[in-house]
Amino acid sequence: MKRRIITIDQEKCTGCGLCVNACHEGAIRLKDGKAVLLRDDYCDGLGDCLPHCPTDAISFVEREAAAYDEEAVKKHMAERKVQQGGGCPGSRMHLMQRTPAEAPTGEVPSQLAMWPVQIKLAAPNAPYFNGCDLLIAADCTAYAYGNFHAEFIKGHVTLIGCPKLDNVDYSEKLAVILRENDVRLVTVTRMEVPCCGGMVAMVQRAAELCGKDIPVSVRTISIDGKLL
């Protein structure tokens, strides 16, 4: 059938991911750092994504396309809900759009660009992973090092975890994130204490499992808050 459906100009698309969050049907995803229409029958042709695109890369076309399938969309969204942490509002994927004027005068602004940050809660298919510089932080490092936001979180997608208290081997989940997304580099921050070596080992194992050559660097912070 011929109907109205979105089209995405790949040259204009910057891969910001705002359209992915705006689409209530989950019809858009990021692939190789660009937004793409996942399936024709997921797109209802209403265009909720259009006003969210900062580069006007999304528009309507009339073409042959499968009819909108509401039941397929419900199934797709239910599966995605499970992948993104279920129905808990605190674990739902969120992308922050920060501006320099956001913080009041004298207040140090947050540099966090996305949510959730806990490795256990992060969805491997979250759009912000594509084309990112990834920070994987042992969670004590942000408390120990005073300039952590400005020096490490700024410009990065951030994931945190504790190799001792979480009691989870994150190697395979991190490997999926690295394999399924265009991650440019990985920075690991750890404390100087021995148990933090487990975080480094998990990331290095994930880098081996993902099948890609992704640079991994490790920064160590002392228990008195100094960068070693």
Side-chain angles (χ1 to χ4, degrees):
M1 64 178 293
K2 196 169 186 178
R3 69 182 183 95
R4 189 171 77 159
I5 196 167
I6 66 160
T7 185
I8 303 171
D9 187 327
Q10 297 295 291
E11 291 187 3
K12 290 183 178 180
C13 178
T14 62
C16 69
L18 294 178
C19 58
V20 177
N21 292 335
C23 180
H24 301 300
E25 289 72 38
I28 305 173
R29 64 160 292 181
L30 290 185
K31 182 179 181 181
D32 299 325
K34 299 284 186 177
V36 296
L37 180 62
L38 188 61
R39 278 175 42 168
D40 286 358
D41 59 347
Y42 286 173
C43 178
D44 61 7
L46 297 179
D48 289 342
C49 54
L50 269 69
H52 292 269
C53 180
T55 61
D56 295 322
I58 306 175
S59 58
F60 283 122
V61 294
E62 290 275 345
R63 66 171 174 83
E64 290 292 330
Y68 173 64
D69 189 337
E70 186 176 359
E71 289 304 314
V73 168
K74 287 180 180 179
K75 182 179 179 181
H76 168 59
M77 294 304 290
E79 292 172 349
R80 198 170 80 162
K81 186 176 181 181
V82 172
Q83 292 174 345
Q84 295 180 354
C88 173
S91 62
R92 288 176 189 161
M93 182 179 64
H94 185 69
L95 183 67
M96 283 74 134
Q97 296 297 308
R98 299 197 178 277
T99 64
E102 185 173 318
T105 302
E107 182 176 312
V108 178
S110 171
Q111 298 298 329
L112 191 66
M114 39 65 73
W115 184 268
V117 295
Q118 231 291 339
I119 300 173
K120 188 181 296 186
L121 300 177
N125 62 345
Y128 41 71
F129 285 124
N130 264 308
C132 80
D133 295 339
L134 182 60
L135 170 67
I136 301 176
D139 48 18
C140 290
T141 57
Y143 293 96
Y145 190 58
N147 205 35
F148 197 82
H149 270 249
E151 196 162 334
F152 289 109
I153 294 180
K154 185 177 182 179
H156 291 76
V157 165
T158 302
L159 293 177
I160 67 169
C162 177
K164 185 173 184 179
L165 298 181
D166 289 356
N167 197 28
V168 176
D169 185 349
Y170 290 120
S171 299
E172 292 195 8
K173 181 168 187 178
L174 292 173
V176 172
I177 292 172
L178 298 180
R179 183 168 57 248
E180 299 298 324
N181 300 282
D182 180 24
V183 176
R184 293 178 298 206
L185 59 88
V186 178
T187 301
V188 183
T189 57
R190 59 160 294 179
M191 298 298 296
E192 64 177 329
V193 296
C195 59
C196 256
M199 180 66 78
V200 177
M202 282 187 277
V203 174
Q204 291 175 337
R205 176 61 175 157
E208 294 173 0
L209 291 172
C210 78
K212 296 180 179 179
D213 186 15
I214 300 175
V216 176
S217 64
V218 180
R219 306 298 301 275
T220 303
I221 296 169
S222 68
I223 57 175
D224 59 353
K226 296 178 181 178
L227 188 61
L228 301 178

